[in-house]
Amino acid sequence: MGCTRCEKEFIPEIKIKKSIPYYVAEKGYIDEIIRPAQTKNKLIQALEMTQNNMPL
């Protein structure tokens, strides 16, 4: 039972495509690709945004 052809041909291809950030961004699954050098600044920015939006 099952789809051996699908498992052998299509599933690996989908996994590879979804691991490429530019492909995923093109499909609209993510908002932005962050380069490694930008990671720290982006994290700080995101944490500051959440801190400012938290109710007291």
Side-chain angles (χ1 to χ4, degrees):
M1 210 175 229
C3 182
T4 342
R5 182 172 177 246
C6 292
E7 291 171 358
K8 289 181 179 178
E9 293 179 26
F10 301 113
I11 294 175
E13 181 181 338
I14 291 169
K15 285 182 179 181
I16 290 170
K17 282 185 176 180
K18 289 194 175 192
S19 68
I20 300 170
Y22 299 103
Y23 174 82
V24 177
E26 181 182 294
K27 295 294 181 187
Y29 298 132
I30 58 174
D31 296 325
E32 182 180 11
I33 298 171
I34 302 171
R35 302 211 181 273
Q38 299 171 323
T39 303
K40 182 178 176 182
N41 291 335
K42 290 291 184 177
L43 283 173
I44 291 170
Q45 182 182 21
L47 290 171
E48 286 175 345
M49 285 173 50
T50 61
Q51 184 179 21
N52 293 335
N53 291 328
M54 293 181 78
L56 296 175

